[in-house]
Each structure stands twice: as C-alpha cells, then as structure tokens.
Amino acid sequence: MLLIRCPWCGMDRPEIEFRHAGAAHITRPGPPDRVSDEEWAAFLYLRDNPKGRVAERWRHVHGCGRFFNAVRDTVTDVFVVTYRAGEPRPPESAPPETLPPETRP
Amino acid sequence: MTAFRSPAGGRIDRSKPIRFTFDGRQMHGHAGDTLASALLANGVHLVGRSFKYHRPRGIVSAGAEEPNALVTIDRGGGRETPNLRATQVELHEGLVARSQNRFPGLRFDIGGINNAFSRFLGAGFYYKTFMGPRALGGTKLWARLFEPAIRRAAGLGRAPAGPDPDCYANRFAHCEVLVIGGGEAGLAEALRRSEDPACRVILCDEQAEFGGWMLVEAPERADEMVEALSARPNVTLLPRSQAFGAYAQNFVAIAQQLADPLALSDPELPRERLWQVRAGEVVLASGAIERPLVFPDNDRPGILLAGAAETYLRRYGVLPGRKIAILTACDTAYGAAFALQDAGAEIVAIAETRTAQGASEIAARAVARGIPVLPGMTIVGTTGHLRVSGVQLGRIRPDGAAEPSGGFTADTVLMSGGWTPSIHLFSQTKGKLRWEEGLGAYLPATPAPGQTIRVIGAAAGEMPPEMRSPAIGALPAPGSPDKVKAFVDFQNDVTARDLRLATREGFRAIEHVKRYTTTGMATDQGKTSNLNALGIIAAETGRSVPEIGLTTFRAPYTPVTFGLFAGQARGDLFDPVRRTPMHDWAERNGAVFEDVGAWKRAHYFLPRRPVDAAASGHAAMHEAVQAECRKVREAVGLFDASTLGKIEVVGPDAAEFLERAYVNPVRSLAVGRCRYALLLNEAGFIIDDGIIARLAEDRFHVTTTTSGAARVFGMFEDYLQTEWPDLKVWQTSVTEHWAVMAVQGPRARDIIADLVEGIDLSNAAFPHMAVREGRIAGMPCRLFRVSFTGELGYEINVPAGLALPLWERLAERAAEFGGGPYGTEAMHVLRAEKGHIIVGQDTDGTMTPDDMGLGWAIGKKKPDFIGKRGLMRPDLVAPGRKQLVGLVAEDRSRVLEEGAQIVPDSLAPAGTHALGHVTSAYFSAALGHGIALAVVEDGRNRVGQVLHIPMERETIAVRVVEPVFLDPEGTRLHG
Amino acid sequence: MVDGFVDTPRFRLIEAPPLARFVLRAPDAALKAAGKAYGLALPEGLNQGASHGERGKPGARVALHLGPDEWWLIVPEAEGPEVAAALEAALASHPHSLVEVSHRQVGFVLEGEGAAALLNAGCPLDFSEQAFPPGMATRSLFHRVGLMIWRMAPGLFRLEIDRTLAPYFVTALAEAAKDHS
Ligand SMILES: [Zn+2]
C-alpha cells in the first residue's frame, strides 16, 4: 500500500484513504455555444497515457475530503509531488526527458 | 528412543514425547521437533511423490526452501491445509500429516507410470500436448478425456472442499526498523537499533525460535540475545512469521502462525495473523540457502543438503542416516561430515567436485579423521528406489567430462553446492542486483527509489570463506546427457535436460525459459533452483549469467493461505450491510429483501409465511405485489424511502450551484416548492434524478437515487472544489440523518393529518410539489408533497433514530384504512403505470432528457449546466434516436421480458437490426393487463404502430402507446 | 447496542448517548465569531479536535476540524436548537453552511491501554503518540467503513461512524478483539 502525501492534511496517509479522479489540468471549455464539437470531444474523451510522469487528480476521500493534484511516475509508481487543486504543476515535476540529463532522476 | 535419534544434544525437549501420525502410521517425536525432524528420527525419508513424474521424494532441506516434503496437515473438522512444508510444521500432540500426489499410496503410486513416459513429459510438455494431437481425436476429445486425467496426475495437494472453519486476524503496524530474519545478523541488528528506546523495532523470523544457524552452532548465545530483546518494550518479536511480500515505501506483509493449532482452547481464536508493517527502514537479514548439486538421479529419498543434515543432527538430535556419502563444492559440508561422524555415522567418502581441493587444510582434517576425500570427483548416478542405496562416482576429466570411477553403498547422500543469499524480498521491492562471480549468486546492489532497505549478513553476501563457492549449473555425466535425470527444480520436476532442450528450441531469455520449463515457478520461486538453472543455460548458450538475466521474484516468498488474505472479510463482515430504521419491522411483517447497493430494501411483503415451497415462489410474489399496488391505488400505501440519497446544499450561492448542476431552472424555484430534477454528465446523458426542494433562499434539500447517492455527492464535491471554487456554497450529506416514509394513495392525507403540527395540509396551502418544515407526532420533520405513484402523496422525513415509532403508528393507521406497506417491486409497477423512469433501468448511460420525454425539464434560457454542451453534439440532436414509449402486447395478458429486443416485422430473420428494447415490464393491477416501457428508435412517431418481439419460441406482437398508462391528466395527485 | 460487546481489561467500547451534531462549513474569517457563539474556540489546525465539559453533560462542547473549511460540532442533545440558533445569529454576516446531522452518525468511546492496537486491526494509521498525538482528529477507515477518530488521551478515543455502518464496525471490532485477548 502506497503512502500519499495530502497537501491539505500535510501528512503521508495510506493509499486506501484516497480515490483517483482522472487526469489533472484539464480545463472545462465554455461557454457551451462557443465550444466546437472537436474541442468538446477532446475535453470529454481524449487523454494522454504517458510512460513516466503524469499529473493526476486525487481526492482524500476518507480524510479531509479535498481534491488535489499529484505527479506520479507510471513506471515506478512513485509520487513525485502533490499540490493543491488550482495550483500549477511544479516545474521540478516535469517529465525527466525534458530535464537536462545531469538532473534526471 | 526412536531409531535415528542421537542419545543427547539438540534443542528438543526429550522429556516431552509427542505422538503424531504420518499416512496413518503412529510415530513419536519430541517437543521442539518439526514434522521433518520427527520423520527423520523415525527413519522416514520418503515423504512425497514428485509433481510431474511421481518420483519418490524425500526431505531435502531443513527450512522454508523445502521443495519436496510438501504434506497435508489435517487438524480435524475440515481444518485441512495442503502443501505445507514438513520442515516448517511444528510437531504437536496428535498431529495428523498426509503425503500428497500419490494414489493409492506413497510406496506404490500408480502415477509413477509417468516416470516411464518421461521422455514425453519434458520441457514445454503442456504447451505441446494440450494443443490436442489429431491422432487422439483432435482437441475436443483430448480436452474432455485425456487432459483432465493428466492434470489430475500432475499436481500438489488437494484444496479442501468445505468452507475454512478457521479465523484469521489482521494488524497494521508501524516501526522505525523492521528486521526480517532472526539469525545472528538479524538479532544483532535488532539489539543495536533498539538501544534507542524511541526506536520501535519489529523482528520477525519464520521459525518458532529465533537464532537461525546459531541454534545449530551457538544456541546459548541466541538465547541470550533473544532474552535481551524481550526485555525491551520498544521491541516486538514475531516468531513463526514469514515476511512474504515487500512492497513500495517500506511496506512489508508478514504471515504469522499463531501458536500450536491443536492447543488452542477456543476455535474462535485466530490461527494466523497478517501483519502489514510500515517501517522507516527495512533491514533484510534473511540469510542464505544452500544450493543442491545437479547430478543424475539426485532426487532419491535420502539425498539432502549437507547443511540440513547438520541442522537435523545438532539442532534436533537426529541422524539422517548411518552410512553417508558426501558430494560437495563447498567447505561447509566438511563441518556436517565431522559432526555426523562424531555422532556415530560412517562417512564413506567426500567427493569433491573441486580438483584442487584435495590439498586444502580442511580436506587434510577429514583425511586425518579417516574420511576419504576424492578430489575432482562427481556422482554420475545413484541407486535405490524408495531410498537411496548407493552412489556411482565419476572422475571429472580436464576437458570437463566425467568417466565412471567406482562407487559406494550409502543410505544417505549429502550435497553442497555453496550458498545463495536470500534476496527475494529485496528483489520484490525492485532493488537492483549485481552478479557476484565468487559466490555464484546475485547480491543486492541499489534499492529502488523510495525504498529504505538494507541487506545485512549472509543475505548481503557477508559469508565466511567456507560458505563461498562459485559452483552453479549441472555436473558432468558420462554418456548422453539427454538420457539422465539430473533435477534442477525438484518441486516442478525440471531437469538439466529440460533446460538444455528449451535453449535448443530457441528459448534464450530466462523469463521465457522459466515459463516454458516451469523452473522456479509456483511455491519454489527459485529458492533452490534459480542459480543452477542459470548456470546450465549459461553453459549451453555460451553466455555469462548476467547476460541471461534473472527471473522476477514474486510475492509470496512462501505460500500463504487464502484465509489470511480474506482475514475478517467473510460472512457478516464480507461487506457492510446497510439497513433502514424500519428494517426489523419490515422483517417481522414478512418483507422479502432485495439488495440495492449495500442497502437491504423491502422488495415485497408476504404477510403470511408460505406453507409450501411453491407458494413462496413467483406466484406468491406476484400476488403480494398486486395486492400492494391495489392498496396504494384504492386506499393508502406506506413505503420506506430512507435509502434515497439526501444532500443539504447551503450557502448564498446554493441556487446558482444547483442551477449549474441540474438541467432544471433552480433559481426561479420559490421557497417551499420542489422540482423534479435531472442530472447529466458532461456528455449529456442522464446519470441521476431526484427532487430539489427549496427550504430557504440559501438552503436546499436535494434527493438522489439510492445507488447514485455517493456518486452524485462526489461529483458535486468535484465541481464545488475544482470547477467553481468561487461559489459560496457547501453540501452536506444527510442521507443517514433522515428516515423517509412515503405515504401514497387517496387516503394519504387522512392517516397523517392529525399527527402533523404546524403545517396546513390543504391542497391550497400545501399543493403538489411543495415542502414544509414542521412537526409530526412531536418530532421535527420535513414534509414533502410529492408522488412517484401518481396518487396523492407525502414523503415524511424524520430523524432516523426517532423514525420507527412513527412508522409503526402509520402502519396501524394504514391498515385501518385498508392500506399497508408496499415494497420496491410495487413501487416500480406504480411508477411505470405513470410512465416515470427509473434511472439505470429505463436509462443505460446513453439516454438524454429528450430521449426519455423529459426535455421539458431543461431550463432553456440557462447559459450553461453540466451536460449542456454535450446535448448539442450532432449525434444527440440527430433524428431517429431511441425514445421512451409504452408497449402493450396485442395479447394484453402478456407480461413482456425486460431486455427483449424489438423489431419491425413478425418474421424478421436473425440479424435484423433491433429498433430498441423493453426496459421495464409488469402486470398492472390497476389496468388489468401487462404494461411495458421501452426505448424505440423514433418511438414517439410510432405510437399506434404494431412492432414485434422475437422470443425463443414465438414472436410477440406489441402496440406502441404513450408511456403514461394511468390518469394522464394527473387528477389523482390531488386526492 | 454495544455495551459489553467489546470489553476486556485492555480496552472497552462504549456507545455515546444521543447527541446533537452539526456540520459547519465556513471560511477562516468566520471562525472567531463562530467560536464565540459556540462557547468553544474552533481549532484552527486541520485534523485537530477540541472540547470542554463532560461528554453528554450540560454545556459540553466538541469541535473537530476535519476538512480545511469543515468543523463538526457536537453538543448535548437538548442544546442542539439553541446552539444552532446562536451560531446562525453570529454568522449572519459570513457566508457559511450549518447543517444538523445528529442522527447521521453514532458516537463511541474506545478506551484502554490496548485501544490503539485494537484500532490497528482495521485502520492503517500510525497510532504512536508522535504520529497521532492526543488532540488529533481525522477521518480514516476501519476495514471497509469510514470513521472519524479523535484521540482525547493516549488510551482514549472518540469515534463517529455513519449510522448504518455502525453495526458492521462494532462486529468487526469485536472480531478483531479476539486477536487481542
Ligand atoms: Zn487530506
């Protein structure tokens, strides 16, 4: 069982207290009459499935109840960083391939 | 004194004899014995038949790595555990053990015939054979006839057929340091780390006693160390505890056997306990496992590891035999030889695979003791059937081949191929390994990211010189190597020949060879077999071991019972069951319950218990449901709607939030009024429905479906927190706070009128779709004037803990008026008569409001709501979508089948495109005929048409009608 | 419902008497006013509990800070209406939500030197006093059900569980207690 750091509680808490909630940083386009079918379809259905670091939404559902974002490595399952919903993805959590080689983990 | 028990020595308690049976034969051992040591003390080596060839097999090891001595332990009363390693089973009074994989008996086993056909059972046998040879009737006949027989013959113990009567416990634990392995290194580490009283240390070991090899060599020192640890309150000692899985972030699963099972006074007490330990640091002190040597016929009973023999002698006071031959590639075998000789055994020879070893100091000591040491020698064959009787030796020539060179008679053969560090748990955590040529083994190198794991002692390769040997692979044998059976993996019956065959057939990656030959699979997980297999493949393919790679070690390290994983989650505790405050009343009054999510809901009521089985079946249910429906339509019905989801939405932006969430206009809803509301997902499809009631400008009471309650609450929380965090509004689940009683029927007002305080119930003051807060029978209530049945109706919300007395009172009154309770089935019939949909039954996640004839609910002027953009998608506005309609069979007595497909013609051939399907179908008591709801392409334009429903034996003609069957004007709503 | 069900020298489970319960959702700006009206300062730190008075006795107040803007307020049953009225009056100028949930959940006290170990039969949290000091309150899980755990003292826990899940919790705890006898 993984430990996940809740950025609201400020604690590492057991994985079973959390619920995964899909990809992070997806903006709901609007208003409806100004959104193209393609844009809406992308919002509804198109998601990246990268090997490596991915930004996800999680909810501390059996804890403080808050949604937050997490960058997780899909290869190692390591949570690189967690941060509150609405905050930008921390630059240090960028995918390793975009970092200079000497700083790659 | 049993035949092979030494007169003194060992850790056993000679004052405490213990009786046990093996395959029905009475034997005895002593307290402190394992089943294996007790069997050896009784002269029993033969303990099982091998997996595939049914070859007689004996005890090979003295620990968790035992591949052969798998037994079934029967503790009576269905308490039967197969595949336990006899080397790990503690002996206790009355223990009943049985050998496995033999018929009719261990000494004569019919399956042994597989051995004669072993040429056909080699590597990839299963893959090659189960394709089904054509000569044997093709795949079908093969699969039906031969495959089951072969599978039966090849196997381990039998899984018990009955339910497991034992209990299992679970504990989560946290510590600063978890030490795995209670040998010398582990004990010392635990002592050192626990000096700091703030440092919580957990030490686990698979055996009943801590000490590991010290129990053989220096038991007093082990006792002292354990005593010191026991005195420290920050130390938790877990004996009989196998760490079987190591996971991310220092999380380790440990299976603990709880004491001697037959000594348990209370069968309710747990037999095993699962520890889920989160450690600051994991220290792996799991020691090393001795490697067998791979020589022809190395699997006969009586052939065992040298270290195991020394353990049996020095720890358990058991001589494995009297006339012992030894084959070794490692100096530790000499220690065993000397100890056994001192205990009275004859060491006929030590065959040294190492040519240069003849001149070593330890060999000289052997020679001085009168033990012949034969350097550059191997065993090229053994004799004996149920027990080894002799060995044939072979001289290893400089070119690496072997030529026969005499032999010895012997009742026991010891082998030692060196020691392999036990790195399984380190490897499970995805730690990186490195190859150590001098040990012929992999060693831990770098822990995986996020892991704080340190490996110490022999597991880290820290071994004294006498334990170090680079020998792996198969030893040479004269003649064709394909003719001999030199076993690499005893448990899976994999020979050196199988591995060579696999490489010749093109399998080069170790993961492929493993799957093709099954080497290192199952419970063995490569403990004894891995490195020899690697050595053989390396030699065969001319590559180095690191080039070949290493198979993944998987949890569990040793087998774990299913019961341990299930833990408490069985019977009543398998899953929580949610019951309404009226549950017990319903049960007393004949309710038959149905599961809706975790809830138990009264499905229908059988007022009198059925006298015979037939009466309790479908007919009785039909009769009960019809009666319940009639009561509602003619008098009054009482329905427990407590399971509905209820959310209180409060805050200055409460109306704005609900306006954005639901399709309906909400801001315009007046205080004191309710609205039927539809909830969509962003794709535009209906996912829930309910009632929005406005209690105050900034306070709403919103209901959801029973099964959608948690989902809707979570979805709202998502939008509130992440989509519209600027809105000043909060939601609180009040599902469990309010019990809900629906009172429906022409007499509904009559039975509640004089209980209600502070609410004018007249149609004018309290019309349909109104809500009031007041009191009923002295308790606070939220009273809704709503109807899902089409009758005059109320839904009374009262605090759950106060609900039952009110319900009982209402039930009495309903009965006085000729009414009574109704269940979910009657509720479904009544709403279908009115054409009200059930989300999830009449919708399937692809239905829009317009599809369901509910387009009127949408607030057309709203700039946005969840699903609004979705509803504009071309597919969702295209003509020809499926729409909700009513159906009545031309034979009106017919009740259609839910899910039945609808086609235009009575003689539609198979494969005809279906226009839609039946979503709900009942017999309507009020109308006296069957009714159905269905979704049909362009359905509203088909009203009046006759369509057809092809069934297995007939085609049913149905007429499309409006979905509202009863009282389309809605006059009954007003009582 | 549970008295005597889980009762050993090392731990004991007691069902709380009927209580009035409220969920208060409010921004930080409203805390001072709320605390004043409530008669007990609402704990500012997340996952903190505070109380004064004796459980169930007149004037007893409990405040548990369980979500960033979420407090549970628990008072004697009879004082519910007056507490609600006082809070609504004090918070009139602050956007907030006060919802009564008295019957939504059931309260328990789990006490004894073995209480923390017993909770660990089904709850994966670390109950060492460093990781979960007295005064801490949080939602978590016990096997399959969610619950609120508030540690008042090293061997004294207040628990709140949804009404319909309480029977499961009590049965599961009793089953776990067999492993601690
Ligand atoms: Zn949290």
Side-chain angles (χ1 to χ4, degrees):
Chain A
M1 177 161 40
L2 297 171
L3 287 174
I4 300 173
R5 186 160 193 87
C6 172
W8 292 92
C9 291
M11 282 186 251
D12 290 334
R13 298 282 290 253
E15 180 188 348
I16 53 172
E17 289 184 349
F18 296 85
R19 192 158 299 159
H20 182 262
H25 305 299
I26 306 256
T27 310
R28 181 178 186 261
D33 50 4
R34 303 255 287 277
V35 180
S36 71
D37 284 339
E38 290 69 29
E39 214 179 327
W40 193 251
F43 164 68
L44 287 182
Y45 300 119
L46 297 184
R47 296 291 181 272
D48 291 333
N49 185 20
K51 179 179 178 182
R53 291 184 173 186
V54 54
E56 301 171 325
R57 289 160 11 101
W58 285 77
R59 184 179 175 212
H60 194 187
V61 61
H62 290 291
C64 67
R66 302 309 283 187
F67 284 84
F68 61 91
N69 295 326
V71 175
R72 184 176 62 91
D73 191 308
T74 57
V75 178
T76 61
D77 249 358
V78 169
F79 279 77
V80 179
V81 65
T82 58
Y83 50 104
R84 295 179 180 189
E87 292 176 359
R89 177 171 171 160
E92 68 270 21
S93 74
E97 60 271 18
T98 67
L99 299 174
E102 64 276 11
T103 62
R104 282 180 203 169
Chain B
M1 185 57 58
T2 33
F4 289 86
R5 188 74 73 180
S6 65
R11 300 278 287 176
I12 53 159
D13 186 345
R14 288 164 195 268
S15 69
K16 285 193 189 137
I18 287 178
R19 281 169 307 173
F20 70 102
T21 68
F22 178 66
D23 282 345
R25 201 180 129 198
Q26 276 283 351
M27 302 185 197
H28 75 262
H30 293 288
D33 262 327
T34 63
L35 176 60
S37 69
L39 285 168
L40 290 174
N42 285 273
V44 175
H45 276 258
L46 173 66
V47 287
R49 288 278 179 166
S50 75
F51 182 66
K52 213 156 66 175
Y53 305 129
H54 288 248
R55 284 168 69 102
R57 286 284 167 82
I59 296 157
V60 169
S61 75
E65 69 273 25
E66 176 59 37
N68 280 347
L70 303 185
V71 296
T72 295
I73 300 297
D74 185 350
R75 289 170 296 123
R79 292 176 156 79
E80 201 174 289
T81 314
N83 302 335
L84 289 177
R85 291 153 301 283
T87 50
Q88 290 187 301
V89 174
E90 277 177 68
L91 203 65
H92 55 74
E93 185 62 34
L95 179 130
V96 176
R98 281 198 298 271
S99 59
Q100 299 179 163
N101 201 25
R102 80 289 190 272
F103 178 82
L106 189 54
R107 297 181 73 82
F108 174 73
D109 171 22
I110 286 177
I113 198 151
N114 280 2
N115 193 32
F117 293 105
S118 62
R119 247 166 25 85
F120 309 105
L121 292 169
F125 160 74
Y126 293 97
Y127 303 104
K128 289 170 186 161
T129 318
F130 286 178
M131 299 304 289
R134 208 159 276 161
L136 286 171
T139 303
K140 237 184 187 168
L141 186 64
W142 178 256
R144 215 174 291 161
L145 236 59
F146 299 104
E147 181 180 329
I150 292 176
R151 281 206 190 274
R152 253 201 314 280
L156 300 166
R158 250 172 231 278
D164 184 347
D166 281 315
C167 300
Y168 300 83
N170 178 70
R171 288 190 191 182
F172 292 99
H174 299 78
C175 61
E176 276 63 48
V177 182
L178 168 67
V179 182
I180 298 169
E184 187 169 8
L187 285 169
E189 178 74 6
L191 273 170
R192 190 172 69 78
R193 303 300 292 275
S194 62
E195 275 167 19
D196 173 4
C199 181
R200 292 169 292 174
V201 174
I202 296 177
L203 172 64
C204 68
D205 192 276
E206 39 143 328
Q207 301 210 8
E209 282 192 284
F210 290 93
W213 185 254
M214 284 166 93
L215 295 172
V216 174
E217 224 162 52
E220 300 78 14
R221 209 152 62 76
D223 290 344
E224 279 165 26
M225 293 170 93
V226 172
E227 204 174 310
L229 283 169
S230 309
R232 294 186 181 165
N234 54 327
V235 175
T236 306
L237 293 175
L238 303 181
R240 304 181 179 87
S241 298
Q242 181 80 63
F244 65 82
Y247 307 92
Q249 293 162 307
N250 313 333
F251 192 69
V252 177
I254 299 171
Q256 184 177 27
Q257 311 295 316
L258 293 171
D260 157 13
L262 281 193
L264 290 180
S265 51
D266 184 352
E268 296 256 288
L269 291 179
R271 179 168 77 93
E272 295 179 17
R273 183 189 290 143
L274 175 65
W275 289 86
Q276 303 187 59
V277 180
R278 178 80 62 186
E281 180 185 351
V282 176
V283 179
L284 190 60
S286 44
I289 291 172
E290 197 169 15
R291 283 196 291 274
L293 288 167
V294 182
F295 56 87
D297 295 326
N298 59 344
D299 66 326
R300 299 200 195 282
I303 303 180
L304 66 164
L305 293 163
E310 189 173 353
T311 300
Y312 285 121
L313 176 68
R314 296 178 69 181
R315 181 166 166 196
Y316 299 101
V318 175
L319 270 167
R322 306 220 179 277
K323 208 170 159 64
I324 299 173
I326 296 175
L327 179 66
T328 188
C330 176
D331 285 353
T332 51
Y334 289 83
F338 301 162
L340 288 160
Q341 190 186 40
D342 291 344
E346 180 194 349
I347 310 297
V348 295
I350 297 177
E352 257 293 357
T353 64
R354 299 170 293 184
T355 310
Q357 198 60 18
S360 73
E361 183 265 339
I362 197 145
R365 276 170 57 200
V367 173
R369 283 169 160 261
I371 302 172
V373 176
L374 312 171
M377 198 69 84
T378 183
I379 295 178
V380 297
T382 65
T383 55
H385 177 51
L386 300 178
R387 173 78 184 261
V388 69
S389 60
V391 296
Q392 291 114 36
L393 298 179
R395 180 165 308 281
I396 302 171
R397 294 196 316 235
D399 67 356
E403 57 193 19
S405 178
F408 291 95
T409 61
D411 64 6
T412 303
V413 178
L414 307 186
M415 55 185 167
S416 177
W419 295 81
T420 306
S422 287
I423 51 166
H424 294 68
L425 292 169
F426 178 83
S427 177
Q428 282 180 19
T429 65
K430 302 199 173 91
K432 284 206 170 61
L433 305 174
R434 66 180 173 84
W435 175 247
E436 175 78 13
E437 191 72 38
L439 284 177
Y442 280 98
L443 290 178
T446 327
Q451 298 293 131
T452 313
I453 183 166
R454 209 154 53 79
V455 188
I456 62 169
E462 294 157 13
M463 297 187 217
E466 66 268 22
M467 287 178 79
R468 305 174 78 90
S469 165
I472 53 168
L475 290 163
S480 163
D482 289 351
K483 291 248 164 66
V484 299
K485 277 205 196 69
F487 286 88
V488 177
D489 180 335
F490 293 89
Q491 186 175 93
N492 296 299
D493 259 356
V494 181
T495 64
R497 180 182 93 99
D498 295 328
L499 292 167
R500 292 192 187 107
L501 181 63
T503 57
R504 284 206 298 274
E505 290 183 8
F507 294 92
R508 297 174 71 82
I510 185 65
E511 292 285 2
H512 292 159
V513 175
K514 169 179 167 175
R515 278 154 188 80
Y516 192 56
T517 63
T518 71
T519 190
M521 303 240 292
T523 72
D524 177 67
Q525 284 299 301
K527 287 185 203 65
T528 55
S529 64
N530 235 327
L531 290 156
N532 284 331
L534 284 171
I536 291 166
I537 298 163
E540 194 71 12
T541 59
R543 292 178 299 166
S544 69
V545 170
E547 280 178 292
I548 295 164
L550 184 64
T551 57
T552 311
F553 294 111
R554 295 186 197 285
Y557 177 67
T558 53
V560 179
T561 56
F562 280 112
L564 193 77
F565 288 119
Q568 293 190 195
R570 48 193 291 188
D572 287 347
L573 292 175
F574 179 66
D575 220 12
V577 174
R578 304 174 74 185
R579 296 180 174 87
T580 74
M582 282 74 93
H583 182 92
D584 291 351
W585 183 94
E587 197 160 42
R588 281 197 306 276
N589 286 272
V592 175
F593 293 93
E594 67 167 342
D595 292 340
V596 181
W599 289 98
K600 294 281 177 199
R601 300 196 73 179
H603 192 195
Y604 54 93
F605 292 83
L606 290 176
R608 276 157 293 135
R609 288 281 167 205
V611 263
D612 57 85
S616 68
H618 188 76
M621 170 177 164
H622 176 76
E623 201 176 299
V625 171
Q626 296 297 304
E628 288 168 23
C629 289
R630 273 194 299 271
K631 283 177 184 171
V632 175
R633 295 268 179 244
E634 290 160 17
V636 61
L638 199 53
F639 179 70
D640 181 357
S642 303
T643 62
L644 286 181
K646 296 165 235 49
I647 302 172
E648 201 153 320
V649 179
V650 183
D653 292 324
E656 175 62 24
F657 167 65
L658 293 171
E659 177 104 355
R660 293 185 195 182
Y662 284 90
V663 306
N664 311 69
V666 179
R667 277 196 301 229
S668 59
L669 186 66
V671 171
R673 298 306 305 247
C674 312
R675 192 158 280 169
Y676 171 74
L678 273 177
L679 185 68
L680 312 185
N681 57 18
E682 290 288 13
F685 299 128
I686 297 171
I687 56 167
D688 207 74
D689 66 353
I691 298 285
I692 295 177
R694 190 165 204 165
L695 301 171
E697 274 303 314
D698 62 352
R699 187 176 294 262
F700 292 82
H701 179 119
V702 179
T703 69
T704 74
T705 59
T706 296
S707 50
R711 191 169 58 239
V712 171
F713 190 84
M715 170 178 164
F716 283 178
E717 204 56 42
D718 195 349
Y719 278 89
L720 286 170
Q721 288 186 34
T722 69
E723 204 57 54
W724 305 314
D726 52 312
L727 292 185
K728 299 202 168 15
V729 53
W730 296 268
Q731 59 160 353
T732 304
S733 170
V734 288
T735 302
E736 297 257 33
H737 177 70
W738 298 107
V740 183
M741 310 164 199
V743 184
Q744 303 274 311
R747 308 304 297 269
R749 189 182 285 117
D750 299 330
I751 73 163
I752 67 162
D754 62 344
L755 296 174
V756 174
E757 302 158 48
I759 303 171
D760 180 349
L761 296 183
S762 68
N763 273 336
F766 190 33
H768 180 56
M769 299 305 274
V771 62
R772 297 287 181 272
E773 290 181 274
R775 298 185 80 77
I776 185 164
M779 66 185 85
C781 82
R782 287 179 179 170
L783 188 61
F784 291 74
R785 173 89 189 269
V786 291
S787 173
F788 200 38
T789 60
E791 300 296 324
L792 168 67
Y794 302 91
E795 286 187 3
I796 307 165
N797 286 244
V798 293
L802 310 176
L804 184 58
L806 175 62
W807 173 272
E808 287 172 334
R809 223 161 137 187
L810 292 174
E812 273 169 37
R813 285 171 166 237
E816 285 165 23
F817 284 93
Y822 64 101
T824 49
E825 185 65 18
M827 179 270 280
H828 277 214
V829 179
L830 296 164
R831 63 89 203 179
E833 289 170 344
K834 291 295 299 175
H836 294 316
I837 62 161
I838 301 261
V839 173
Q841 173 159 345
D842 301 298
T843 70
D844 61 1
T846 67
M847 296 293 169
T848 67
D850 183 64
D851 296 342
M852 289 289 108
L854 297 169
W856 56 264
I858 299 174
K860 304 291 184 297
K861 292 190 211 119
K862 298 193 340 177
D864 197 1
F865 57 83
I866 299 171
K868 181 177 172 78
R869 180 60 186 81
L871 287 176
M872 294 155 63
R873 292 191 293 156
D875 280 7
L876 271 62
V877 294
R881 286 186 60 81
K882 289 177 186 168
Q883 295 170 331
L884 184 78
V885 294
L887 295 180
V888 176
E890 293 288 84
D891 167 6
R892 293 169 73 86
S893 65
R894 291 293 298 249
V895 177
L896 302 175
E897 270 189 40
E898 289 170 2
Q901 301 293 308
I902 301 163
V903 293
D905 305 312
S906 62
L907 294 171
T912 300
H913 172 72
L915 295 173
H917 66 276
V918 177
T919 58
S920 296
Y922 312 95
F923 190 85
S924 163
L927 298 166
H929 62 78
I931 59 169
L933 297 175
V935 289
V936 176
E937 285 174 13
D938 205 19
R940 288 199 284 271
N941 283 331
R942 293 181 190 270
V943 169
Q945 283 184 15
V946 173
L947 299 175
H948 295 86
I949 295 183
M951 302 297 289
E952 203 173 6
R953 292 175 202 289
E954 57 176 334
T955 295
I956 304 167
V958 294
R959 189 169 296 274
V960 181
V961 299
E962 296 287 347
V964 184
F965 294 92
L966 187 83
D967 185 26
E969 302 78 25
T971 50
R972 301 180 69 93
L973 282 173
H974 307 293
Chain C
M1 165 177 141
V2 304
D3 289 353
F5 215 59
V6 178
D7 192 349
T8 77
R10 300 197 62 238
F11 41 72
R12 197 156 62 106
L13 184 73
I14 306 156
E15 187 173 342
L19 295 163
R21 298 174 173 85
F22 298 90
V23 175
L24 173 65
R25 306 291 297 273
D28 291 346
L31 284 195
K32 245 196 174 124
K36 209 165 159 204
Y38 187 51
L40 169 68
L42 306 191
E44 286 182 33
L46 180 55
N47 296 324
Q48 291 295 310
S51 66
H52 74 62
E54 204 179 323
R55 172 169 44 90
K57 297 282 161 58
R61 296 285 180 273
V62 169
L64 307 169
H65 190 183
L66 300 177
D69 62 355
E70 177 183 3
W71 285 263
W72 286 10
L73 309 177
I74 306 176
V75 303
E77 189 179 30
E79 296 170 39
E82 64 189 78
V83 165
L87 282 165
E88 290 291 11
L91 295 174
S93 60
H94 296 278
H96 72 281
S97 156
L98 184 72
V99 174
E100 190 193 346
V101 294
S102 301
H103 291 249
R104 183 174 82 169
Q105 53 218 37
V106 182
F108 297 96
V109 172
L110 181 65
E111 61 184 8
E113 54 164 347
L118 183 61
L119 281 175
N120 263 148
C123 178
L125 295 180
D126 183 352
F127 288 109
S128 69
E129 285 178 50
Q130 289 72 40
F132 202 120
M136 179 168 160
T138 182
R139 278 179 286 241
S140 187
L141 288 162
F142 188 86
H143 285 304
R144 306 269 292 124
V145 299
L147 81 174
M148 191 290 302
I149 304 171
W150 171 32
R151 188 175 217 166
M152 301 181 72
L156 180 62
F157 293 90
R158 282 278 303 270
L159 311 171
E160 293 271 327
I161 295 123
D162 277 2
R163 166 175 290 271
T164 58
L165 302 177
Y168 170 94
F169 169 73
V170 173
T171 315
L173 200 73
E175 178 74 18
K178 293 178 190 170
D179 186 37
H180 291 261
S181 52

